Amino acid sequence: MRFYFSLYLLVAGLYLLTASGRIGRMSDSTTMFHVAQSMINEGSLSSEPCDPRYDDPQLGSLCVPGRGGRFYAAYGMVPSFAVVPAILCARALSRVVHVDSVLLAKASVSFFTLLVAPLSCVVLAMWILKLGYSRRTAVLGACVLAFGSPFWHNGVSGFLSEPYFTLALLVAAYLLSSPRIAYACALSGFAFGVACGTRVAGVALFPAYMLFLALQIRARRLPWIHFVRDAVQFSASVAFWGGLVAWTNYARFGSIFKTGYHIAFPTLSFTFSNPLFQGTRDLLFHGEQGLLLFAPWVVLSFLYFPQFMRKHPPESVLCGAVFLITFVFYAKFYTWHGGWAGGPRYLLPILPFVIMVIAPTLEAVQRRAAIKGNQRFWALERSMVILLLAAGFIIQAVTLTYPRDRYYADLVFYADKPLKPWWYGSIPLAALDYWAQTSIPKTEANYSEPDRSRTAATVDSDSDSDPLSYWKHADAVATEDEFINWLPHPENATLPELMTLKRKLIGLPAKAIYGYLFAALIIILTGAVGLKRSTRIQEVQSPAS
């Protein structure tokens, strides 16, 4: 237990150190936040205030007309419900410190998500250990997910459903692979139901978990009556959550079959109208969402999947099925890109399953021992593995604190310009350009509030009636900097996405930030020391391994 707690402290501490402290401007985040506020203020599931945009499939699911003339979101209720305690605590604290309650509530939601995200890394480490690998391999696998993939950015910035969905799927998989835990199948089904309550598309993965359960029974050479019993337990728990989802559908839209996507995506043919080849290409290589661009080590899972399958047939089928179902689903999905989130947002939940596939390779790399059958070229393969893993960590380090608000503002500004910058269309390249430009202030000391009078005079005075109106006036200003300065809160598109670098703008005293940094460093140090002791104990107890 100490090992897992130390791992959590290490990841959570580094996440706290790199926290943005805000949910951002992304519509999904603000919509789920509004739903959580409605739960507290009215006891309802409304997403108001919101702006209905029925003609846009990407925005049409944010503000859907429902019962009582109210507007609701199509998203799962679990994330919004989960952050209710965080908002209540923020409201109580705001009365004590006299800070804007809404801003503090948004920050608390961001921090709550930040503290949930490391749990996925811990469960992944538990699963790796369950399959017989060392603690060092478990730590390495957890760190690849935590710091070598876009999971890092989604954990410390914004309020999206992916960290919650990933955690629920992982818990369900771990429990199914642990039959000795009492009521493991029922608990696994409950966790899978939570995943479906977080994102309704998760139901597409139900066959993968059922197949995994069947292969587990076969591998243990048990009678098939055990499969029937376990499948009933799993399905009953999923059905419980299915009933809750149906109730929320009825409460919002008057039908248990309406999820809220029925207006933005009226038919299945439209929902999955993206060409498969084009979707596959974009999900893998696109400059803004490409999986192999943001996590190049994923290539290793394709190379070493046969080896993992020989060692762990049931787990390999589950990991492969989760990957294939999710990938094909979103390759065909009309809004495959996931909005202006940056990185392969929809594919984040499959990353832990991909890391499971390369667990034997991670073990072999640490021991400098060749994988069976590859002795001749193992030195070259080992170098390739290390290079790809290092590339993942470097890409996250470059892009993590790069302000995504700036990227998408620049995207709009240059959209109709004949000459586009060299980095246009690629977030990693744009991040490199951002860090290379000395003219852009990177610290609060070098930042000054822009003079907005000149740019304000060039735009429509009624633009405040439309919350997205500032994107419409990219042609009304001459330079990129003028457009950035005209945006609401231009500091969020100028300074790095780090809360600790915006102390004065946020209104925090210096002592508060220094205390925060000190606490984060203590948490990191405690976790690192605990992990070192835990791994050393295992090595002493099992010298042969």
Side-chain angles (χ1 to χ4, degrees):
M1 195 64 184
R2 180 182 298 177
F3 169 76
Y4 300 125
F5 183 62
S6 298
L7 178 60
Y8 177 82
L9 289 179
L10 177 66
V11 178
L14 283 166
Y15 276 20
L16 286 169
L17 202 62
T18 55
S20 70
R22 54 190 291 263
I23 65 173
R25 198 177 287 130
M26 189 174 180
S27 53
D28 296 37
S29 299
T30 55
T31 298
M32 291 195 298
F33 177 77
H34 290 159
V35 173
Q37 283 194 308
S38 295
M39 290 179 179
I40 298 172
N41 298 336
E42 309 170 353
S44 74
L45 303 177
S46 170
S47 62
E48 300 170 358
C50 60
D51 180 24
R53 294 169 179 265
Y54 311 128
D55 57 338
D56 190 339
Q58 185 176 327
L59 301 176
S61 55
L62 306 177
C63 199
V64 183
R67 297 182 65 185
R70 304 294 300 274
F71 290 92
Y72 304 87
Y75 305 133
M77 295 290 105
V78 170
S80 297
F81 181 77
V83 301
V84 164
I87 296 177
L88 291 174
C89 290
R91 290 183 177 183
L93 182 61
S94 68
R95 290 192 289 269
V96 176
V97 298
H98 305 291
V99 177
D100 186 284
S101 61
V102 175
L103 291 179
L104 192 59
K106 289 181 177 180
S108 69
V109 166
S110 177
F111 277 104
F112 183 86
T113 303
L114 179 151
L115 295 176
V116 167
L119 293 175
S120 295
C121 305
V122 174
V123 177
L124 175 62
M126 294 171 64
W127 198 9
I128 292 175
L129 285 175
K130 182 71 179 177
L131 295 188
Y133 297 100
S134 67
R135 288 183 176 179
R136 287 184 180 273
T137 300
V139 171
L140 180 56
C143 287
V144 170
L145 175 64
F147 310 115
S149 78
F151 190 80
W152 190 358
H153 177 264
N154 281 263
V156 301
S157 300
F159 172 40
L160 297 175
S161 63
E162 278 68 32
Y164 301 89
F165 186 67
T166 303
L167 176 61
L169 286 183
L170 263 180
V171 170
Y174 173 76
L175 289 172
L176 272 191
S177 65
S178 308
R180 293 185 180 180
I181 298 178
Y183 307 106
C185 292
L187 293 173
S188 176
F190 187 87
F192 186 82
V194 172
C196 295
T198 302
R199 182 186 291 173
V200 69
V203 72
L205 299 175
F206 183 81
Y209 280 76
M210 282 289 96
L211 182 58
F212 177 50
L213 181 58
L215 292 175
Q216 286 274 69
I217 295 295
R218 181 181 179 183
R220 292 158 55 198
R221 301 181 184 277
L222 296 175
W224 282 103
I225 189 64
H226 286 264
F227 169 73
V228 175
R229 181 199 63 190
D230 292 347
V232 168
Q233 291 183 12
F234 183 89
S235 301
S237 296
V238 175
F240 169 77
W241 275 95
L244 291 179
V245 171
W247 175 79
T248 59
N249 289 343
Y250 181 80
R252 292 179 294 174
F253 308 113
S255 170
I256 63 174
F257 300 109
K258 289 184 178 180
T259 63
Y261 291 103
H262 53 280
I263 293 181
F265 302 97
T267 63
L268 280 177
S269 59
F270 176 77
T271 303
F272 299 103
S273 58
N274 196 44
L276 181 60
F277 177 79
Q278 178 181 325
T280 300
R281 179 199 62 197
D282 290 337
L283 284 178
L284 290 178
F285 304 109
H286 196 278
E288 296 173 12
Q289 289 88 14
L291 179 62
L292 297 183
L293 181 65
F294 285 87
W297 49 263
V298 170
V299 172
L300 300 173
S301 65
F302 301 113
L303 299 176
Y304 295 109
F305 183 80
Q307 183 223 358
F308 183 72
M309 190 168 189
R310 287 192 296 269
K311 285 190 173 184
H312 312 286
E315 287 78 10
S316 67
V317 170
L318 174 63
C319 294
V322 168
F323 180 90
L324 285 175
I325 293 173
T326 303
F327 191 90
V328 173
F329 184 96
Y330 288 110
K332 289 288 296 177
F333 194 48
Y334 182 83
T335 56
W336 58 271
H337 43 76
W340 285 1
R345 172 190 169 190
Y346 286 145
L347 299 185
L348 290 182
I350 70 175
L351 291 177
F353 298 90
V354 173
I355 294 173
M356 286 299 300
V357 172
I358 64 173
T361 307
L362 298 179
E363 182 102 334
V365 165
Q366 296 174 82
R367 296 180 179 179
R368 300 175 180 267
I371 297 178
K372 185 176 180 181
N374 295 332
Q375 287 83 355
R376 184 177 179 182
F377 302 104
W378 175 239
L380 181 61
E381 288 187 31
R382 185 172 181 273
S383 300
M384 177 192 67
V385 171
I386 294 175
L387 182 62
L388 289 173
L389 291 175
F393 287 101
I394 293 172
I395 290 171
Q396 310 321 313
V398 172
T399 61
L400 177 67
T401 57
Y402 167 61
R404 305 295 170 93
D405 287 0
R406 183 182 192 88
Y407 175 80
Y408 289 110
D410 286 344
L411 208 65
V412 172
F413 178 76
Y414 288 109
D416 298 324
K417 302 289 189 297
L419 295 178
K420 294 178 172 53
W422 66 277
W423 49 261
Y424 189 84
S426 172
I427 289 178
L429 294 181
L432 286 174
D433 180 77
Y434 170 79
W435 292 114
Q437 287 195 42
T438 56
S439 60
I440 302 176
K442 305 299 192 302
T443 63
E444 201 172 35
N446 298 326
Y447 178 79
S448 59
E449 287 288 342
D451 180 9
R452 300 164 66 92
S453 59
R454 180 179 178 183
T455 52
T458 64
V459 299
D460 188 356
S461 59
D462 296 329
S463 62
D464 288 341
S465 62
D466 184 351
L468 296 180
S469 62
Y470 40 86
W471 300 123
K472 301 177 181 178
H473 301 285
D475 294 331
V477 293
T479 67
E480 172 189 336
D481 289 339
E482 287 184 3
F483 185 56
I484 294 293
N485 291 338
W486 185 75
L487 297 177
H489 304 290
E491 67 276 6
N492 292 326
T494 305
L495 297 176
E497 196 69 29
L498 276 175
M499 182 192 71
T500 53
L501 293 181
K502 302 175 183 177
R503 176 185 67 80
K504 295 179 180 178
L505 293 169
I506 296 174
L508 292 175
K511 290 182 179 179
I513 287 295
Y514 295 148
Y516 175 86
L517 291 173
F518 180 76
L521 291 174
I522 290 296
I523 293 173
I524 294 170
L525 182 62
T526 303
V529 171
L531 285 177
K532 185 176 181 180
R533 289 179 178 177
S534 298
T535 52
R536 183 178 297 175
I537 290 173
Q538 186 193 41
E539 290 171 355
V540 171
Q541 293 176 345
S542 306
S545 62

